[in-house]
Amino acid sequence: MLGAVVYAGSIVWISVASAGHTSDAADAPDAPVVIVLGAQIKDGKPMAFLKGRLDAAVELVEAGKAKAVLVSGDANGGSGDEIAAMTNYLVEQGIDERRIVGDPYGLDTYDTCFRAIHTYGVTKALIVTQGYHVPRAVALCRDVGIDADGVNSDCGCATPTLIKNAAREWVLAKPKAALDMLWSRDAKVTSPSEDSVQVALSIP
């Protein structure tokens, strides 16, 4: 019974924290920075989940809704360097490389949010991911102090893969996120603050 209460509480907490702060790219508000969460790559290229997130980021920048892109993931991930793959893809889509900042230690969603504000000085942002993941991403970023709005991105993946990831989100990831917010832990890797995002924002 206690486990059920904790689980239900985490779902409600995340839902309340993200309420009114999610949209599609076309309806997204303006923000200085768009944060793209990393995901698996293959042969140095984004796979379907990650490609959908990056395409949404491109749409936001081209629409003038954001000026800089913070790509956050694992530079030493099991599938390869997510940061290099994301940066290369964005440049191929026409995004000025000077507007792209890479965080190689965004090892999970909480760490991405924590490092975005504490290392890169991001206080207002759009965060892009798939729809089932958006509420958690928004709740975590807002919890650490970022005025964040979530943007739904396409998946472009097979239905079984989508079901698997959505199930993981509801069963494991949301309760873990609630614990992260409750404990207010540091990121797994902390770094001194830097001004790379501010420099990217200054590009005319």
Side-chain angles (χ1 to χ4, degrees), residues 131-148:
Y132 64 82
H133 184 193
V134 165
R136 176 165 62 95
V138 170
L140 287 170
C141 278
R142 296 187 76 83
D143 183 71
V144 300
I146 299 174
D147 181 5

Side-chain angles (χ1 to χ4, degrees), residues 27 56-57 65 69 118 140 152 161:
D27 300 317
K65 293 179 180 290
V69 184
H118 291 286
L140 287 170
N152 301 314
T161 301

Side-chain angles (χ1 to χ4, degrees), residues 80-101:
D81 186 343
E82 296 173 9
I83 302 306
M86 288 192 281
T87 301
N88 291 339
Y89 183 85
L90 289 172
V91 171
E92 289 170 0
Q93 305 309 306
I95 302 300
D96 187 339
E97 189 169 4
R98 297 175 300 169
R99 297 185 183 277
I100 305 169
V101 176

Side-chain angles (χ1 to χ4, degrees), residues 10-24:
S10 69
I11 301 302
V12 171
W13 189 353
I14 289 169
S15 298
V16 170
S18 62
H21 295 289
T22 65
S23 67
D24 295 327

